[in-house]
Amino acid sequence: MKNLLIFCTILIISLNGFSQERFRSGIFLHHSTGGNIWGPNGSNTSVPAEITQYNTDHSYSGEEECSMNEEWFPSNHGNEWADWHHLFDGDYPDDDIWPFMSSNKIVVIKSCFPSSAMSGGRGSASDTVSFTTKSVYNYKWHWRHILRIMEAHPENFFVIWTNAPLVAASTNDDQAYWAHVFCTWAKDTLANGMDSEYGEFPRNVYVFDYFHKLVGADYKEKPEYAASSTDSHPNSAATDLIAPQFVKEIFDAAIDYENYYNGTLQSPTLSSPTNNAVDIALDATLSWSSVSGATSYHVQVSTASDFGTTVVDQTVTATSYTFSNELSNGTQYYWRVSSVNSGGESGWSSVWIFTTIPAIPAAPALSSPLDGATDIALDATLSWSSVSGATSYHVEVSTASDFGTTMVDETVTSTSFTFNGELSNATQYYWRVSSVNSGGESSWSSVWSFTTIPAIPASPTLSSPSDGSTDIALDATLSWGSVSGATSYHLQVSIASDFSSMVVDQTVNGTNFIFSSELTNGTQYYWRVSSVNSSGESGWSSVWSFTTIP
């Protein structure tokens, strides 16, 4: 009896081992649009390449490996939703879907872009009289019918794509909008178990929302993803975009179903921050999906991809974890979560990555113009030192030392700022700079000041000798009025009215000039004066003349 009991125990264990089902191999049934996405289609990747990478990322080998084949199907009919309704009903004997279901655990179906030519609009119940009416009502009817058959075959995992979108030249605003309405219902309402007619969504079905991955705000296929402006087939850019998402979403969902089907606790699905997110705050919150049957979750966070050391290794009852002093600035972290209950712990979720915000940079050091500098040009350039980690700089310039008002308050990416019409003459300005990056803004630099150049002075007014005077002595004195802001005067005396032949051409500090030996008897002279300061030279005064004594 004892030996029989041992034998029966071994037999039960063996049978349980053999009863574990794998949902990791499948078939992708498609026409031309799906063939382009399968790739490589001139792109840098393909669905097979992404499956290889998926297996590598998850360390899947042997019977754990994921795989998929593709086939043009149906080969004798179209692949619109009306056709799939017929196919699952067995109405097309020359295109039999059942052999695919019996020989593949995963079955992926889709329609091509003609399905988005929804000329029937919202539609009504009467549309079902004609299978081929392209209305939202009819499409929902087809999908619910197909899903009921899929749900009746829990030994398979099914993936159904939403519509393939059309380029602008092949559709219109109404058709594009109704395609959007239907695909939104499929992914957000039906797949979330909120369709009042269907109810709870089958666990063995996944909706891949292909439509919304390629459309713009007008619900038409973006030009950058289309073969041409008149050809809605996806191009290489679409393959690059869709193939990785297709593989990840489908096999993640299939393996979750595998766990459910075999009665094992499912792994959570990570949700935020998104994979490869950057500039994550040090008090960020990690979030993941709730798992049926789980009573808690095991969270690990590490700076090492193999989790050889951990920053966080905790069990929580919520579906989130908020950091508190565990993270450092400018650091890349890896994180994963498993589900836990009294029966044990699930496998790990996918590993996601995030990078924290950088440390707030140091304040810059000001360099020019020097503190207290004077005679600074109105188009001067402020300069300061580069700061490690800074991505931009905040510049403030004010006439008030407390910066109560500012006439420059700008952010620049270089280590200089050139004025362009902001400054006034003979004015003292205060300036300061801070460093900025995604982590925040540094404290201000030191406050420096500078004073701008004065305004160029006005032209002087000549006073004596009066214009046209005669019998002027050879040691006469020329005089003119003082000009505010002038620091010197430029005097020219010539025997030519155009000043082409100069007798005197010099700068004087006062408002008069006494001749010594420059003049000759009986000669007519012309003279003029300009005002000078550090900003430059005024225009010339009027030109006066005088004639010396004979």
Side-chain angles (χ1 to χ4, degrees):
M1 178 64 72
K2 182 178 179 180
N3 289 339
L4 178 61
L5 179 61
I6 293 172
F7 172 76
C8 291
T9 303
I10 294 173
L11 179 61
I12 291 170
I13 293 172
S14 300
L15 289 174
N16 284 340
F18 282 115
S19 67
Q20 297 293 306
E21 292 281 357
R22 296 284 187 189
F23 290 82
R24 307 197 180 197
S25 61
I27 187 75
F28 178 29
L29 304 176
H30 63 82
H31 281 181
S32 54
T33 297
N36 285 13
I37 295 301
W38 183 267
N41 189 30
S43 75
N44 297 315
T45 189
S46 64
V47 170
E50 292 298 328
I51 294 174
T52 299
Q53 187 61 50
Y54 185 89
N55 285 324
T56 300
D57 292 343
H58 292 79
S59 300
Y60 290 153
S61 61
E63 65 177 10
E64 289 189 329
E65 276 191 344
C66 297
S67 64
M68 184 170 288
N69 294 313
E70 54 87 23
E71 186 161 331
W72 185 287
F73 182 86
S75 57
N76 300 299
H77 299 85
N79 71 343
E80 296 193 43
W81 302 127
D83 294 303
W84 285 110
H85 190 141
H86 284 301
L87 286 161
F88 276 92
D89 277 351
D91 295 336
Y92 294 160
D94 53 345
D95 276 320
D96 190 356
I97 194 172
W98 301 103
F100 291 112
M101 292 168 57
S102 62
S103 57
N104 294 277
K105 299 303 290 182
I106 302 172
V107 178
V108 184
I109 70 167
K110 67 175 297 299
S111 68
C112 283
F113 52 76
S115 289
S116 287
M118 296 188 64
S119 55
R122 185 178 298 279
S124 63
S126 61
D127 292 349
T128 59
V129 175
S130 171
F131 263 51
T132 57
T133 298
K134 295 185 179 183
S135 67
V136 174
Y137 191 98
N138 231 23
Y139 280 8
K140 289 182 178 181
W141 176 58
H142 291 317
W143 269 50
R144 292 185 188 112
H145 182 82
I146 293 167
L147 285 178
R148 289 187 184 96
I149 297 173
M150 290 177 170
E151 186 172 14
H153 292 272
E155 71 279 6
N156 287 110
F157 183 77
F158 297 92
V159 178
I160 181 168
W161 287 36
T162 57
N163 294 6
L166 288 161
V167 293
S170 300
T171 187
N172 57 49
D173 291 344
D174 283 346
Q175 291 183 5
Y177 171 74
W178 291 118
H180 154 71
V181 168
F182 167 69
C183 294
T184 301
W185 167 84
K187 186 62 176 175
D188 295 346
T189 301
L190 180 68
N192 284 319
M194 295 189 295
D195 181 56
S196 58
E197 184 169 332
Y198 197 92
E200 184 177 355
F201 193 73
R203 286 183 175 270
N204 67 324
V205 182
Y206 181 78
V207 176
F208 182 70
D209 192 10
Y210 176 74
F211 180 86
H212 285 108
K213 296 178 189 296
L214 295 187
V215 298
D218 59 357
Y219 311 126
K220 298 167 188 173
E221 186 175 17
K222 292 181 179 179
E224 60 263 35
Y225 295 133
S228 74
S229 61
T230 57
D231 186 348
S232 302
H233 283 95
N235 61 13
S236 58
T239 305
D240 280 333
L241 175 72
I242 299 299
Q245 297 182 53
F246 170 65
V247 170
K248 175 174 171 46
E249 289 186 36
I250 286 172
F251 284 110
D252 280 356
I255 292 170
D256 273 347
Y257 178 68
E258 174 186 294
N259 292 329
Y260 165 78
Y261 187 86
N262 293 319
T264 56
L265 196 60
Q266 297 179 55
S267 305
T269 299
L270 306 186
S271 56
S272 71
T274 56
N275 195 21
N276 295 310
V278 296
D279 291 336
I280 299 302
L282 302 189
D283 60 352
T285 296
L286 304 178
S287 299
W288 54 89
S289 66
S290 174
V291 173
S292 177
T295 55
S296 60
Y297 301 91
H298 184 187
V299 186
Q300 284 191 338
V301 182
S302 176
T303 55
S305 59
D306 63 356
F307 293 83
T309 58
T310 55
V311 174
V312 172
D313 188 357
Q314 291 194 22
T315 298
V316 297
T317 55
T319 56
S320 63
Y321 177 83
T322 300
F323 292 102
S324 178
N325 301 319
E326 298 99 340
L327 303 180
S328 299
N329 290 100
T331 305
Q332 185 179 65
Y333 291 94
Y334 301 85
W335 65 290
R336 61 185 181 182
V337 184
S338 65
S339 307
V340 181
N341 63 16
S342 57
E345 186 170 351
S346 74
W348 289 108
S349 66
S350 301
V351 175
W352 279 14
I353 302 170
F354 66 87
T355 302
T356 51
I357 55 174
I360 296 174
L366 307 186
S367 55
S368 71
L370 296 175
D371 189 24
T374 58
D375 289 337
I376 299 302
L378 301 189
D379 61 352
T381 296
L382 304 178
S383 300
W384 54 89
S385 65
S386 175
V387 175
S388 176
T391 55
S392 61
Y393 299 91
H394 183 186
V395 186
E396 283 192 342
V397 182
S398 176
T399 55
S401 59
D402 65 355
F403 294 84
T405 59
T406 56
M407 30 93 59
V408 170
D409 186 355
E410 292 192 24
T411 298
V412 297
T413 55
S414 65
T415 56
S416 64
F417 174 82
T418 300
F419 292 101
N420 182 20
E422 297 94 345
L423 301 180
S424 300
N425 290 102
T427 305
Q428 185 178 41
Y429 292 96
Y430 300 88
W431 65 291
R432 61 186 181 181
V433 184
S434 65
S435 306
V436 181
N437 65 16
S438 55
E441 185 169 353
S442 74
S443 57
W444 289 108
S445 66
S446 302
V447 176
W448 280 13
S449 69
F450 64 88
T451 303
T452 51
I453 55 176
I456 295 174
S459 303
T461 300
L462 306 186
S463 56
S464 70
S466 58
D467 189 24
S469 298
T470 58
D471 291 335
I472 300 301
L474 299 188
D475 59 353
T477 297
L478 301 179
S479 299
W480 54 89
S482 175
V483 175
S484 176
T487 54
S488 61
Y489 300 91
H490 183 188
L491 169 66
Q492 286 188 340
V493 181
S494 176
I495 58 174
S497 61
D498 63 356
F499 292 85
S500 58
S501 177
M502 212 70 71
V503 174
V504 174
D505 186 5
Q506 67 182 68
T507 298
V508 294
N509 292 325
T511 57
N512 56 61
F513 175 81
I514 301 173
F515 291 103
S516 56
S517 58
E518 297 90 349
L519 301 182
T520 304
N521 291 97
T523 306
Q524 184 179 38
Y525 292 94
Y526 300 88
W527 66 292
R528 62 186 180 182
V529 183
S530 67
S531 306
V532 181
N533 66 13
S534 56
S535 293
E537 186 171 351
S538 74
W540 290 108
S541 65
S542 302
V543 175
W544 281 11
S545 69
F546 65 86
T547 302
T548 54
I549 56 176

